[in-house]
Amino acid sequence: MEKVVYDFFHKNDFDEWIGNFALNLNDIWNEPSARDLDPTNDESYDMTNHSAIVIGKGPSLKKNNHLQKLIESNYSGTIICTDGALINVLKSGVTPDLFPNFFVVTIEPYKIQATLYDDPIIEKFGTKIKGIFSTLTHPDAVSKARKNGIKIHWLHTLFDYNEGKKSINNITSLMVRTKKNKGLPAIQTGGNVGTSCWFVGWKILGCSTISLIGMNHGWEEDDPIETIMSHGQMFEAPKIDKQSELFKKLFPKVHNPEFNSTCILDPIFQYYSSALKEFISRAPSEIRTINATEGGSLFGEKIHCMPFTDFLKNFDQ
């Protein structure tokens, strides 16, 4: 599955990756590295005392009223918002005024990401938000975020480093280091910004406990089948007999025993979910991942599932 997804995006997006990096390079040289945000550079910092909440844009966010519960809590930890959720999160009242350690992450290379930063609410709070951007992000998205006051911090996103010296990851890293001696930090992405935020939480921002909300990585059972089969109209739905074994394999129903809920995975969500589960299982023992989404496909080894209100009570630092 991983190779199929990689080959698809490599074939379709390679030229855009290279073009984006080339246009971003001067800014990458002159703007801060995401490494500058790492509090563990201070020897007195104890990451075991710090937690973060990753906010995705999954349907559970609204279904379970998680943003309002967050507003009403005493939580004082870090907020890491996916770019796709940012506008709605700010409009809900979850803002840097309430949560000063507020970050947004963008890794996608597409021009449409610029629309995620095009709203008066971002202009209102932009100067209080720290942005963490992939070097392959579309320049229009970076420019719009920067124009609205978000301070950009750069990192590499890993996807072909296994190709060695000929990999894009190696080549772009070498180019960055021609003027930025220390280079940039690099993270795995699992192909999506939510997983990237999880990595940012502990690898960049030094938090030992990462809570996930709005991270369903799956569709609701009552979502239209056309939406599920096209990954939200992102692709043309395949013509498959919905009663066939192939359909059941490509779009399986998954029961989450922790929340007694069921979701449906398409091939992309299968990849996202399995990748994040593997990353979590291999994370250092001191990193605790809490799925407080209250649904979806994320459960299993080293994933602690609990209602969001329980997390907020236990980690109201």
Side-chain angles (χ1 to χ4, degrees):
M1 178 69 74
E2 181 177 0
K3 187 178 187 307
V4 171
V5 173
Y6 168 77
D7 288 346
F8 174 84
F9 286 107
H10 191 278
K11 177 182 177 181
N12 288 277
D13 299 335
F14 180 86
D15 290 350
E16 193 158 22
W17 293 342
I18 297 300
N20 290 351
F21 176 78
L23 293 171
N24 287 332
L25 186 54
N26 192 61
D27 291 324
I28 294 167
W29 280 332
N30 290 289
E31 290 180 319
S33 162
R35 183 178 285 109
D36 296 350
L37 300 171
D38 186 354
T40 63
N41 293 326
D42 181 348
E43 292 183 0
S44 65
Y45 181 84
D46 182 2
M47 71 183 300
T48 61
N49 294 326
H50 296 271
S51 69
I53 297 172
V54 171
I55 305 178
K57 64 173 185 177
S60 58
L61 203 62
K62 181 177 181 180
K63 178 180 179 180
N64 298 314
N65 202 26
H66 281 163
L67 295 179
Q68 187 59 38
K69 291 174 181 177
L70 178 56
I71 291 169
E72 294 171 356
S73 74
N74 295 318
Y75 186 73
S76 60
T78 296
I79 301 296
I80 309 172
C81 192
T82 59
D83 52 2
L86 181 61
I87 291 174
N88 288 335
V89 166
L90 293 174
K91 287 182 176 179
S92 78
V94 175
T95 72
D97 286 346
L98 283 180
F99 306 97
N101 293 323
F102 197 109
F103 300 84
V104 64
V105 177
T106 290
I107 66 158
E108 304 287 357
Y110 310 117
K111 186 173 183 176
I112 196 172
Q113 305 308 118
T115 64
L116 306 179
Y117 292 98
D118 189 12
D119 192 279
I121 195 73
I122 297 181
E123 184 177 0
K124 179 179 179 180
F125 292 105
T127 57
K128 300 177 181 179
I129 299 172
K130 300 178 187 70
I132 300 174
F133 283 68
S134 164
T135 57
L136 305 184
T137 302
H138 197 285
D140 286 3
V142 183
S143 177
K144 179 61 70 173
R146 187 187 294 113
K147 182 179 179 181
N148 282 331
I150 295 175
K151 187 172 183 179
I152 309 299
H153 300 77
W154 295 98
L155 51 64
H156 293 296
T157 45
L158 299 173
F159 55 90
D160 73 341
Y161 63 96
N162 57 303
E163 298 289 336
K165 288 187 175 182
K166 66 179 182 179
S167 70
I168 297 176
N169 282 145
N170 183 60
I171 294 168
T172 55
S173 176
L174 290 172
M175 293 178 71
V176 168
R177 288 203 300 270
T178 59
K179 287 191 177 181
K180 224 176 181 73
N181 292 334
K182 289 187 177 180
L184 300 174
I187 61 166
Q188 296 273 16
T189 70
N192 66 95
V193 68
T195 298
S196 301
C197 288
W198 175 80
F199 271 111
V200 163
W202 64 276
K203 277 190 168 289
I204 303 297
L205 301 180
C207 298
S208 64
T209 299
I210 314 293
S211 177
L212 311 175
I213 59 174
M215 289 272 288
N216 293 65
H217 280 189
W219 300 99
E220 299 285 280
E221 284 189 284
D222 56 359
D223 284 329
I225 192 64
E226 293 76 15
T227 298
I228 295 172
M229 293 179 68
S230 62
H231 195 69
Q233 280 77 53
M234 184 177 290
F235 308 105
E236 183 178 351
K239 294 178 173 57
I240 302 174
D241 180 357
K242 298 178 180 61
Q243 305 303 318
S244 68
E245 289 302 314
L246 177 59
F247 179 85
K248 294 177 183 178
K249 182 177 180 180
L250 290 176
F251 303 96
K253 286 189 177 183
V254 174
H255 180 71
N256 185 330
E258 301 287 350
F259 295 122
N260 192 28
S261 62
T262 301
C263 66
I264 300 175
L265 303 187
D266 62 28
I268 291 178
F269 275 140
Q270 288 187 58
Y271 169 60
Y272 289 174
S273 178
S274 62
L276 181 51
K277 287 179 179 180
E278 181 180 352
F279 292 143
I280 291 172
S281 71
R282 291 161 47 190
S285 59
E286 64 269 21
I287 304 304
R288 188 180 190 199
T289 301
I290 296 176
N291 178 14
T293 292
E294 298 182 55
S297 64
L298 296 176
F299 60 91
E301 184 181 358
K302 293 176 69 174
I303 300 175
H304 307 272
C305 296
M306 67 175 68
F308 189 44
T309 50
D310 288 355
F311 167 80
L312 292 171
K313 290 175 184 176
N314 294 326
F315 295 89
D316 60 349
Q317 52 167 315

